[in-house]
Amino acid sequence: MASTDTRKDEVFHNPSAADPAYHDLDSRIALAGHPIHAMLVAFPIAGSFALAFCDVAFWWTGDLFWARAALWASGGGFAMGCLAALAGAAELLLVPGVRRRAAAWSHAVAAMVLLGVMAASWSLRLQQGTDAILPWGLMLSWLALGLVAIAGWHGGKLVFEHQVGVSLPEEEDPALGPSDTSGNSSP
């Protein structure tokens, strides 16, 4: 006896998508049309990678240069992360379509936890110097890398799947529906 599964035939739709604000995804914090948050996130990402690299290099070599470089990487990554967080929070609060996406909230939470880890790492290094690197500094730097991956994954979902902050020509805007881009008007 064949069972019928009605769930296969169901079409899921998002009731929020009927609201025009759901499709409002244009960046409000931008410079010449380029979202500032997207420009700034490269710095804390680079700081996290540099921090992990410098910690491993110090662990392997014992060279104090790597400890100083790690201190600067953690401090710089934290400072630039704060600036990126301000721009990102403004986008989250000012763009209605962003607030309605779960990926935005997941991205924000992961990024805030990352900032806390970078602050803890920087503070630990300022207070304890090279003694902070093994084992706690090294663990914090690798935790920061994991958090960068999580925040980056959700940030990528916002840009590539939801088109947040992406300026589309009118003929490609999904909120406007299909249009004839050939210049021919057919009835």
Side-chain angles (χ1 to χ4, degrees), residues 40-49 76-78 80-82 84 114-115 118 148:
L40 292 175
V41 295
F43 295 100
I45 292 169
S48 297
F49 275 90
F78 172 69
M80 293 304 291
C82 287
L114 171 62
L115 272 181
M118 291 294 281
V148 162

Side-chain angles (χ1 to χ4, degrees), residues 67-152:
R68 286 190 306 275
L71 174 68
W72 281 96
S74 62
F78 172 69
M80 293 304 291
C82 287
L83 291 176
L86 288 173
E91 293 286 5
L92 186 66
L93 296 174
L94 295 174
V95 182
V98 173
R99 289 192 304 272
R100 295 187 176 171
R101 285 163 169 77
W105 294 100
S106 299
H107 173 70
V109 168
M112 290 298 102
V113 173
L114 171 62
L115 272 181
V117 168
M118 291 294 281
S121 180
W122 189 35
S123 174
L124 188 67
R125 292 161 199 277
L126 283 172
Q127 293 172 9
Q128 297 180 10
T130 57
D131 294 338
I133 296 175
L134 297 174
W136 299 111
L138 187 62
M139 285 193 268
L140 286 172
S141 64
W142 283 90
L143 177 60
L145 281 183
L147 290 165
V148 162
I150 294 167

Side-chain angles (χ1 to χ4, degrees), residues 101 103 153 155-164:
R101 285 163 169 77
W153 177 274
K157 283 178 69 172
L158 289 169
V159 173
F160 296 112
E161 289 180 23
H162 301 292
Q163 303 292 303
V164 171

Side-chain angles (χ1 to χ4, degrees), residues 30-45:
L31 182 63
H34 299 283
I36 291 176
H37 178 69
M39 288 187 242
L40 292 175
V41 295
F43 295 100
I45 292 169

Side-chain angles (χ1 to χ4, degrees), residues 8 11 14 63 111 157:
K8 284 184 182 177
V11 175
N14 184 349
D63 189 347
K157 283 178 69 172

Side-chain angles (χ1 to χ4, degrees), residues 14 21 24 41 45 51-52 55 60 63 67 85-86 102 111 116 137 144 165 167 172 186:
N14 184 349
D24 182 5
V41 295
I45 292 169
L51 175 60
D55 280 351
W60 283 346
D63 189 347
L86 288 173
S167 296
E172 293 181 28
S186 54

Side-chain angles (χ1 to χ4, degrees), residues 160-187:
F160 296 112
E161 289 180 23
H162 301 292
Q163 303 292 303
V164 171
V166 176
S167 296
L168 297 173
E170 282 190 29
E171 61 269 4
E172 293 181 28
D173 193 342
L176 299 176
S179 65
D180 181 18
T181 59
S182 65
N184 299 330
S185 59
S186 54

